[in-house]
Amino acid sequence: DITGDEGGAGTQLGRLVTIPPTVQNYVVPSLGDSSGQLLTTAASIIKNLPKRSGADGDRARRVLLVLSKGCELSVRNALGALQHFQCDPPPRALIDVLEADGTDRMIEVHRKVSGATGVGQSMNAAAPKSSSTSASLPSTEELEGMTVPQLKEELKARGKNVSGRKADLIERLSDSNSDNVSGKTDDEGYIYVTGEDSVRGLHLDELDTVICVGRPRGPDEYTHIAGRTGRAGKAGTVINVVTYEQATALTSWEKMLKVDFIPLEEEEVSSLR
């Protein structure tokens, strides 16, 4: 990705990055103005998203949830809320996914741009790497040799409940391992959570849905967020969860971005394709 505007919305030097024409941009107004209410609406949307139709049949959505700077929500708090609302598959911090996959260059870019240091296992150097579809999972013996804080960090990285005794934590992780071995992988969908500042240059295979909580700082920031999906001619969906006031400001960008922001009620999400 190349952008001609490194200074933000106020210094437009040329829009070299554009939103793919295959992307549908929706606006879902939240009934409340608080960050918590915006996130509650986003969680409801995630839970009601229909499966994506494809040549190989229906599959779960691959979702990137982006927290705008204005909503003032941390990735940690967002993960906790999504877990509370029982969003499935378990949401994960994007930086933890990059850590697990060993994507060193992307991790450094992500940290440099977002200032993030990790949410799950990356907070504790002694904790083992979190699993991904390409990484091996800790065996039962390895789990038993871990401390309670390490087990909790592993569970946090997978978006799972961290309450209970050590035996409960081990059982929860063992169940997660069994799910992975039985074929429950990211191919069935994923929910990754990150901040607005970390999406430039990011590429996630087969990402089909971006949910943006709050209005991004400016049109250029929105371009980079929406441009994560709809690549290589494939269909993509961007759902903006905003206040009514933010929705008006967002639609004022239509001419500049050369897109249409389509109003969408929360109860209409299940009809998306």
Side-chain angles (χ1 to χ4, degrees):
D1 283 348
I2 302 173
T3 177
D5 179 12
E6 294 298 333
T11 357
Q12 176 105 14
L13 300 179
R15 191 168 304 284
L16 301 183
V17 177
T18 59
I19 300 170
T22 53
V23 172
Q24 294 290 310
N25 300 270
Y26 295 97
V27 177
V28 178
S30 172
L31 294 179
D33 294 344
S34 71
S35 297
Q37 288 167 316
L38 290 175
L39 189 57
T40 299
T41 300
S44 174
I45 288 171
I46 290 173
K47 291 174 68 69
N48 287 291
L49 278 172
K51 290 189 174 182
R52 197 70 186 248
S53 300
D56 300 325
D58 294 344
R59 63 166 176 78
R61 295 265 175 168
R62 290 160 184 170
V63 177
L64 178 66
L65 186 138
V66 179
L67 305 171
S68 71
K69 292 286 286 186
C71 75
E72 298 182 339
L73 285 167
S74 69
V75 171
R76 180 190 293 276
N77 289 341
L79 287 172
L82 296 177
Q83 179 181 331
H84 171 76
F85 288 116
Q86 300 181 331
C87 292
D88 188 61
R92 301 177 64 189
L94 177 62
I95 193 170
D96 284 344
V97 176
L98 298 178
E99 285 270 7
D101 287 342
T103 317
D104 294 335
R105 186 187 67 81
M106 185 59 77
I107 293 169
E108 289 308 311
V109 171
H110 182 96
R111 285 176 173 160
K112 182 177 179 181
V113 175
S114 67
T117 57
V119 173
Q121 79 288 351
S122 55
M123 292 178 59
N124 186 342
K129 293 281 187 179
S130 173
S131 66
S132 72
T133 54
S134 60
S136 60
L137 295 161
S139 65
T140 302
E141 289 184 0
E142 290 173 326
L143 292 174
E144 291 174 349
M146 293 165 60
T147 65
V148 169
Q150 288 173 340
L151 291 168
K152 287 185 175 182
E153 294 298 348
E154 185 75 20
L155 285 164
K156 285 180 185 177
R158 303 187 193 190
K160 293 187 176 295
N161 191 335
V162 299
S163 63
R165 300 170 300 175
K166 182 174 181 178
D168 299 324
L169 306 181
I170 291 174
E171 181 180 2
R172 206 167 294 136
L173 283 167
S174 296
D175 290 343
S176 177
N177 289 355
S178 298
D179 286 346
N180 192 75
V181 171
S182 66
K184 294 184 178 180
T185 68
D186 284 351
D187 288 341
E188 296 183 7
Y190 56 69
I191 303 170
Y192 297 156
V193 182
T194 194
E196 174 183 337
D197 286 339
S198 66
V199 298
R200 287 177 182 250
L202 179 69
H203 175 72
L204 294 173
D205 289 340
E206 304 296 332
L207 175 65
D208 52 58
T209 305
V210 176
I211 298 176
C212 187
V213 181
R215 195 201 76 178
R217 282 178 297 182
D220 284 318
E221 283 77 11
Y222 184 81
T223 298
H224 283 278
I225 292 170
R228 298 314 96 200
T229 186
R231 297 195 167 195
K234 295 184 178 180
T237 300
V238 181
I239 301 174
N240 297 279
V241 182
V242 293
T243 67
Y244 280 96
E245 183 180 352
Q246 290 173 337
T248 301
L250 197 63
T251 54
S252 71
W253 298 348
E254 286 184 329
K255 185 175 180 180
M256 187 185 306
L257 295 175
K258 298 180 180 177
V259 300
D260 292 323
F261 286 103
I262 306 167
L264 185 71
E265 295 298 325
E266 190 176 332
E267 55 269 22
E268 296 176 318
V269 168
S270 59
S271 64
L272 292 178
R273 291 292 176 262

